[in-house]
């Protein structure tokens, strides 16, 4: 029993220290939020406010959770993100209900009503305005009078929405009749605007103009752009009904210009391009936090159950009555566990439903990371066995193994390429290149493949095409290579022609026509559209006979669309197919002849070098170590980040190979800590995640270069040789 009390005391001390740390973090994030709001950087303000909410949640500070959630909701409200504002106001209200009534509680319900007003949901707005009224009636606060004035105005607006114009006019006139006061200027201006719209509804246009012009004059003092936009639109509407087209057009133009300015300002504040990605990221973080909380709750429940069982066992020794209580407690505990299991099942079902829309991205993430690691093992083992001069009888199996690994690697890369295009993460290059030379290089690289199928492979280039163009030669090569590979695969003892023609040349802009024609098996008419869908190859029989992933044409179509073109397909079964498209380029200039740098290395450079390999996967340890030792490298293996830091601190290495995903401290954090005491030793990241999405982030932690799994042996050695 003594040990139990010592354990509880230790846990309490630990939790207390954690609470102090989170309080410091809350102050830090609050200050960052305030400074970003002043700088009109609302996206950062939202980010740091959410950080403050998360820390407050961890420290179970309900007051701070309520205040920071209210602040987040107001930021959304200012940016006209009313759906997000409503959600956050409702959350803040749920926190305030657990606390003593306050002005912020009243303002939260009031702003929630305003959000519903903006959504034209007057019924719910009225409910929350009534709640606000109830809260301030129980408060003795200096804010009560101001909130009452605001509620009185909203009462008039809701009456107007119900068609009760007389009551609405009476309320607005009461507000207008109050003595001039800068504190209620915005309210008074809104009342003038609202009564102007009421008079317009009654077709008393001159009176409406009078109120609206006064509203516009008052608005000039308070500089409320949204309010001014509404007044200008109302003036335009009244003048239009009075058949004064000039004034109607003038005010409408002012309204549209102002509305556009407001929209641009809000977009600049928010960083609209990243907003959806930010919201999705926050949603995923929230799911992870809920999962962690459930795990912590389960641990707490297990601990609580253990204490309960010990207590019941102790009491059961004292008397038969204690035994009865023990049995009752067991039954109650079992019931609670059943309820928790059911709740857990419901939560899992909810999570599955929410994750359904993200199934594709999660699948791709799994493919990228989970398959690249074993693929690294397959390709690495195949490479090591081929280097050991296997028997001729074994060569067939090793070649098949290597082919399978290369095929899976290509399959993964094609899936990730499609995802990258769909996510708009692909960037178009505009560089000077020689189109004719590019096509000739492609022809030379595919001659052997053409010969395997006994095909004639012809290249027809229009000599009027400028020698040099400005565009994206990498993506153009990818398109043409895919189409030619496709044509050669489905053609036997036939012909494949690649045709390029100059369609037009105007003002240094060239439009070039590309066509790849084959005499292969052709595509059925009912498959001409679906052939561009992912994983589609026309029919099951075609897939079985010719193989392939069914992703090549999908990538081609998406890349051509990205470059501003449109692919066309003509095909007759048994006669062949024709794929054509047009792309626009700027006319370029002659390329400077630069001596090509060869990426070669001497094995002697690697001999006797000391390299620390930080890798938790045993198979990858074995393969990587064997590949290093084959070059005479002395390899030390560590399987976690903590030991890697200590080993790097106490020993000198020529280079460190750091796996990114490690148990405990991951590779990026380990690198960051090593850089605090060692700035010289090269550190190269080993990762199974897509390099294009990962490289800049990894380099920011202090890594010198990145090798993506499954790695190609020569590239693996070449990168290492560049740094040792």
């Amino acid at each position: 029993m003594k040990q139990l009390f010592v354990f509880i005391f230790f846990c309490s001390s630990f939790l207390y220290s954690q609470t102090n740390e989170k309080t410091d973090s809350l102050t830090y994030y609050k200050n960052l939020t305030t400074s970003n709001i002043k700088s009109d950087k609302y996206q950062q303000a939202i980010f740091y406010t959410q950080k403050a909410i998360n820390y407050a949640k961890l420290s179970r500070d309900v007051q701070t959770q309520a205040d920071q959630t209210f602040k987040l909701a107001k930021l959304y409200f200012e940016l006209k993100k009313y759906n997000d504002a409503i959600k956050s106001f409702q959350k803040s209200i749920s926190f305030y209900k657990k606390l003593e009534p306050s002005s912020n509680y009243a303002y939260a319900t009031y702003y929630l009503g305003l959000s519903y007003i903006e959504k034209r949901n007057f019924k719910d707005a009225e409910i929350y305005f009534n709640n606000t009224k109830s809260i301030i009636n129980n408060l003795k606060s200096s804010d009560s009078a101001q909130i009452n004035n605001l509620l009185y105005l909203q009462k008039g607006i809701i009456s107007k929405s119900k068609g009760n114009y007389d009551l609405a006019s009476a309320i607005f006139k009461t507000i207008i009749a109050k003595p001039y006061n800068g504190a209620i200027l915005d309210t008074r201006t809104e009342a003038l605007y609202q009564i102007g719209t009421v008079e317009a509804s009654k077709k008393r246009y001159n009176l409406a103009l009078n109120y609206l012009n006064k509203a516009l004059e008052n608005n000039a003092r308070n500089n409320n752009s949204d309010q001014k936009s509404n007044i200008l639109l109302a003036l335009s509407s009244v003048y239009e009904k009075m058949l004064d087209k000039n004034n109607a057009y003038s005010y409408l133009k002012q309204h549209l210009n102002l509305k556009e300015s407001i929209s641009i300002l809000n977009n600049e504040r928010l960083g609209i391009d990243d907003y959806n990605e930010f919201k999705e990221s926050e949603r995923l973080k929230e799911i992870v936090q809920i999962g962690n909380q459930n795990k912590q709750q389960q641990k707490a429940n297990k601990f609580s159950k253990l204490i309960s069982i010990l207590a019941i066992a102790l009491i059961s020794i004292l008397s038969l009555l204690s035994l009865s209580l023990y049995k009752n407690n067991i039954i109650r505990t079992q019931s609670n566990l059943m309820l928790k299991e059911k709740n857990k099942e419901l939560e899992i079902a909810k999570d599955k439903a929410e994750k359904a829309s993200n199934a594709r991205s999660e699948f791709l993430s799994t493919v990228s990371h989970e398959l690249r690691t074993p693929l690294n093992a397959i390709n690495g083992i195949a490479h090591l066995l081929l280097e050991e001069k296997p028997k001729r009888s074994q060569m067939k199996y090793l070649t098949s193994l290597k082919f399978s690994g290369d095929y899976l690697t290509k399959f993964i890369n094609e899936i990730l390429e499609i995802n990258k295009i769909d996510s708009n993460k692909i960037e178009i290059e505009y560089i000077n290149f020689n189109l004719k030379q590019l096509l000739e290089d492609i022809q030379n690289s595919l001659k052997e493949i053409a010969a395997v199928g006994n095909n004639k492979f012809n290249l027809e280039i229009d000599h009027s095409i400028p020698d040099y163009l400005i565009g994206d030669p990498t993506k153009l090569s990818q398109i043409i290579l895919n189409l030619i590979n496709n044509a050669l695969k489905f053609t036997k003892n036939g012909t494949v022609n690649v045709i390029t023609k100059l369609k037009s040349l105007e003002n240094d802009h060239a439009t070039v026509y590309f066509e790849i024609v084959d005499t292969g098996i052709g595509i059925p008419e009912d498959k001409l559209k679906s052939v561009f869908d992912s994983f589609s190859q026309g029919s099951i029989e075609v897939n079985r006979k010719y193989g392939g992933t069914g992703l090549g044409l999908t990538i081609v179509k998406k890349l051509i669309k990205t470059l501003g073109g449109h692919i066309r397909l003509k095909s007759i079964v048994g006669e062949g197919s024709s794929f054509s498209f047009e792309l626009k380029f700027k006319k370029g200039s002659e390329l400077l002849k630069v001596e090509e740098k060869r990426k070669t290395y001497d094995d002697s450079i690697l001999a006797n070098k000391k390299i620390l390999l930080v890798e938790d996967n045993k198979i990858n340890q074995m393969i990587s170590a064997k590949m290093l030792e084959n070059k005479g490298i002395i390899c030390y293996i560590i399987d976690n980040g903590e030991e890697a830091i200590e080993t790097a601190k106490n020993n000198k290495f020529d280079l460190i190979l750091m796996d990114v995903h490690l148990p405990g401290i991951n590779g990026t954090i380990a690198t960051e800590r090593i850089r605090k005491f060692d700035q010289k030793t090269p550190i190269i990241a080993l990762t199974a995640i897509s390099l294009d999405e990962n490289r800049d982030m990894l380099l920011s932690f202090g890594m010198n270069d990145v090798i993506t799994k499954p790695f190609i042996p020569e590239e693996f050695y070449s990168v290492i040789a560049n740094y040792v």
Side-chain angles (χ1 to χ4, degrees):
M1 202 67 180
K2 181 179 179 182
Q3 286 84 349
L4 178 62
F5 287 127
V6 170
F7 177 74
I8 293 172
F9 175 77
F10 172 77
C11 291
S12 301
S13 302
F14 177 77
L15 290 173
Y16 177 75
S17 66
Q18 292 294 308
T19 304
N20 283 343
E21 181 183 347
K22 290 176 177 62
T23 303
D24 294 339
S25 298
L26 281 170
T27 304
Y28 172 70
Y29 286 124
K30 286 178 185 177
N31 292 337
L32 283 174
T33 299
T34 303
S35 64
N36 277 290
I37 290 174
K38 291 179 180 178
S39 303
D40 257 1
K41 297 177 180 178
Y42 274 63
Q43 183 185 357
Q44 291 298 315
I46 290 172
F47 175 77
Y48 289 118
T49 304
Q50 187 63 58
K51 283 279 190 182
I53 293 170
N54 293 340
Y55 274 105
K57 187 175 182 180
L58 288 173
S59 59
R60 299 180 181 178
D61 184 348
V62 179
Q63 181 67 60
T64 303
Q65 279 184 269
D67 292 339
Q68 292 301 311
T69 307
F70 175 48
K71 181 183 287 187
L72 178 65
K74 286 184 69 178
L75 290 172
Y76 285 136
F77 183 84
E78 289 181 34
L79 294 167
K80 302 184 183 302
K81 298 292 180 181
Y82 298 118
N83 288 332
D84 292 329
I86 288 171
K87 183 178 177 182
S88 295
F89 280 130
Q90 288 173 337
K91 282 186 181 179
S92 69
I93 290 169
S94 69
F95 291 128
Y96 281 127
K97 285 180 179 178
K98 301 175 184 178
L99 306 168
E100 291 294 323
S102 63
S103 296
N104 274 358
Y105 183 16
Y107 274 118
T109 56
Y110 172 73
Y111 272 105
L112 181 53
L114 283 185
S115 299
Y116 280 120
I117 288 283
E118 294 294 341
K119 298 288 289 182
R120 314 304 295 172
N121 185 348
F122 296 102
K123 182 178 178 181
D124 285 342
E126 186 173 15
I127 292 171
Y128 283 102
F129 289 144
N130 289 335
N131 290 347
T132 306
K133 186 70 174 177
S134 299
I135 295 168
I136 62 172
N137 285 341
N138 297 324
L139 283 177
K140 293 181 180 179
S141 170
S142 58
D143 294 330
S144 297
Q146 183 179 354
I147 296 175
N148 271 321
N149 285 333
L150 295 171
L151 287 174
Y152 195 51
L153 173 66
Q154 299 307 322
K155 181 180 178 182
I157 294 173
I158 290 174
S159 297
K160 172 188 161 190
S161 73
K162 294 178 179 179
N164 194 345
Y165 294 133
D166 292 336
L167 177 58
S169 295
I171 292 171
F172 297 142
K173 287 177 181 178
T174 302
I175 295 172
I176 294 168
K178 288 183 179 182
Y180 176 78
N181 183 350
I184 65 167
L185 177 60
D186 197 66
T187 304
R188 191 167 182 271
T189 305
E190 186 65 23
L192 285 165
Y193 160 69
Q194 292 291 344
I195 198 171
T197 60
V198 169
E199 295 300 338
S201 299
K202 293 179 178 181
K203 299 184 179 180
R204 297 194 285 217
Y205 300 127
N206 288 323
L207 192 55
L209 287 177
N210 183 41
Y211 283 119
L212 291 172
N213 283 321
K214 286 182 180 179
L216 192 60
E217 290 176 10
N218 280 3
N219 176 263
R221 301 174 190 166
N222 63 6
N223 197 27
N224 186 331
S225 299
D226 290 317
Q227 190 181 66
K228 183 178 180 180
S229 176
N230 292 334
I231 295 169
L232 290 170
L233 181 60
L235 281 166
S236 174
S237 177
V238 172
Y239 276 119
E240 184 180 12
K241 290 174 181 177
M242 295 175 70
L243 303 179
D244 187 345
K245 300 298 183 182
N246 290 334
N247 277 322
Y249 173 76
S250 175
Y251 282 112
L252 179 61
K253 184 177 180 181
Q254 292 180 58
H255 159 73
L256 293 174
N257 289 338
L258 181 56
K259 185 177 180 181
E260 184 179 3
S261 299
I262 294 170
S263 176
I264 291 171
L265 176 61
N266 285 339
N267 289 346
E268 290 175 350
R269 286 173 164 179
L270 185 59
I272 196 66
D273 291 338
D274 300 326
Y275 179 69
N276 291 333
E277 184 177 342
F278 168 76
K279 289 297 295 178
E280 178 65 11
S281 173
E282 289 302 317
R283 189 185 71 80
L284 293 176
K285 287 179 183 177
E286 185 176 355
I287 291 173
V288 172
Q289 288 176 356
I290 291 172
N292 291 336
Q293 288 174 357
N294 289 338
K295 290 180 182 178
Q296 292 174 359
Q297 185 63 39
Q298 288 174 0
K299 289 180 181 178
N301 290 340
K302 289 180 181 178
F303 185 69
S304 176
K305 180 182 175 183
L306 177 62
I307 294 175
S308 298
I309 292 173
L310 290 174
I312 292 169
L314 180 62
I315 295 170
S316 66
I317 296 172
L318 300 175
S319 66
L320 293 173
L321 179 61
S322 301
L323 181 59
S324 177
L325 293 174
Y326 170 75
K327 289 181 178 180
N328 290 336
N329 188 73
I330 290 295
I331 294 172
R332 192 184 312 114
T333 303
Q334 289 175 344
S335 299
N336 288 338
L337 287 173
M338 288 179 64
L339 288 173
K340 286 170 185 174
E341 287 177 1
K342 292 296 181 183
N343 287 337
K344 186 177 180 180
E345 288 175 4
L346 290 173
E347 288 173 1
I348 291 171
K350 180 185 175 184
D351 288 342
K352 285 182 179 179
E354 290 176 347
K355 290 175 182 177
S357 62
N358 301 316
R360 179 181 178 184
S361 60
E362 290 177 1
F363 167 74
L364 293 175
S365 177
T366 302
V367 167
S368 175
H369 183 263
E370 298 301 331
L371 291 187
R372 281 178 183 269
T373 299
L375 270 178
N376 185 50
I378 293 171
N379 292 352
I381 291 172
H383 170 76
L384 292 175
L385 292 174
L386 286 168
E387 277 197 341
E388 292 180 0
K389 298 179 179 178
K391 297 177 182 178
R392 182 174 297 178
S393 60
Q394 296 171 331
M395 184 65 72
K396 176 182 177 182
Y397 303 111
L398 291 176
T399 303
S400 297
L401 179 64
K402 187 175 184 302
F403 172 80
S404 298
D406 292 341
Y407 174 83
L408 286 174
T409 303
K410 179 184 177 184
F411 180 66
I412 292 169
N413 290 336
E414 286 182 342
I415 291 176
L416 293 175
E417 180 71 20
I418 291 173
N419 185 56
K420 184 178 178 183
I421 297 171
D422 289 342
S423 303
N424 295 322
K425 293 180 180 178
I426 193 165
E427 294 183 1
I428 301 174
E429 292 183 314
Y430 295 96
I431 58 177
N432 203 32
F433 72 100
N434 187 322
L435 176 61
K436 298 174 184 177
Q437 184 64 48
L438 177 71
L439 294 172
E440 289 173 0
D441 290 343
I442 291 174
Q443 183 187 32
N444 291 332
S445 68
L446 297 176
K447 279 183 177 179
E448 291 184 8
I449 297 176
V452 170
N454 195 29
N455 291 316
K456 295 180 180 179
F457 182 17
N458 303 317
L459 178 61
E460 300 177 20
I461 302 175
D462 187 346
H463 294 290
S464 60
I465 297 175
D467 289 336
Y468 299 97
L469 300 171
I470 295 175
D472 194 326
T474 303
K475 293 178 183 59
L476 180 60
S477 298
Q478 191 174 358
I479 292 166
I480 295 174
L481 277 168
N482 265 309
L483 290 174
I484 297 174
N485 269 315
N486 225 41
L488 292 172
K489 181 168 70 172
F490 294 108
T491 303
K492 301 297 179 184
N493 303 314
T495 304
V496 174
N497 293 322
V498 179
I499 303 166
T500 58
K501 296 179 181 178
L502 180 66
K503 295 289 288 187
S504 64
L505 181 60
E506 299 177 358
N507 299 325
D508 289 336
H509 284 76
T511 300
V512 181
Y513 171 83
F514 298 87
E515 184 177 9
I516 291 82
V517 184
D518 65 66
T519 58
I521 63 174
I523 302 169
E525 187 175 354
D526 61 336
K527 302 292 184 182
L528 291 179
K529 291 185 178 179
S530 63
V531 75
F532 292 102
D533 296 339
S534 298
F535 307 106
S536 175
Q537 285 193 310
S539 69
I540 296 174
E541 291 77 10
V542 170
N543 179 263
R544 287 175 178 172
K545 182 175 181 180
Y546 294 95
T549 63
L551 295 172
L553 289 180
T554 306
I555 294 172
V556 166
K557 182 178 180 181
K558 291 178 182 292
L559 284 176
I560 291 175
K561 184 177 179 181
T562 300
L563 296 177
H566 175 74
I567 191 165
R568 290 175 290 274
L569 167 60
K570 297 178 182 178
S571 184
I572 299 175
V573 175
E575 294 186 14
S577 303
S578 167
F579 292 85
S580 62
F581 59 94
E582 295 178 6
L583 294 177
K584 292 183 179 181
F585 303 92
K586 284 187 178 180
K587 188 176 179 182
S589 56
E590 185 173 356
L591 295 168
L592 294 175
K593 292 185 179 179
V594 180
E595 185 177 349
E596 183 179 351
K597 295 181 179 179
R598 296 183 179 179
K599 296 183 178 179
T600 59
Y601 64 92
D602 190 344
D603 285 352
S604 62
I605 296 175
L606 303 176
N608 298 318
K609 297 296 182 182
K610 289 175 62 179
I611 290 182
L612 176 62
L613 172 64
V614 187
E615 169 67 73
D616 64 313
N617 185 285
K618 298 299 181 184
I619 296 177
N620 286 340
Q621 286 179 3
M622 181 266 292
I623 294 169
S624 301
K626 182 65 176 175
M627 291 180 69
L628 294 172
E629 290 167 359
N630 283 351
K631 297 297 183 180
I633 296 171
I634 303 169
C635 178
Y636 298 83
I637 301 174
I638 297 293
D639 64 0
N640 63 83
E642 292 87 347
E643 289 186 30
I645 296 169
E646 290 301 316
T647 304
K649 185 182 293 185
N650 299 324
N651 298 275
K652 181 174 178 59
F653 295 97
D654 296 298
L655 184 138
I656 299 173
L657 293 174
M658 181 73 71
D659 187 25
V660 174
H661 296 282
L662 295 170
I665 297 177
N666 63 33
T668 55
I669 301 302
T671 300
E672 196 172 39
R673 294 185 182 178
I674 290 173
R675 285 304 182 215
K676 291 180 180 179
F677 59 82
D678 184 353
Q679 296 289 330
K680 294 183 178 180
T681 303
I683 301 177
I684 297 176
L686 302 178
T687 177
I689 300 175
S690 173
L691 179 59
D692 292 335
E693 301 173 3
N694 199 40
R695 183 181 181 84
D696 292 339
M697 182 274 289
L698 293 175
L699 296 182
S700 69
F701 284 96
M703 293 174 171
N704 298 87
D705 212 329
V706 184
I707 299 176
T708 304
K709 301 175 185 176
F711 42 73
I712 299 170
E714 287 308 312
E715 292 182 1
F716 177 71
Y717 293 132
S718 179
V719 172
I720 293 173
N722 287 338
Y723 290 96
V724 296

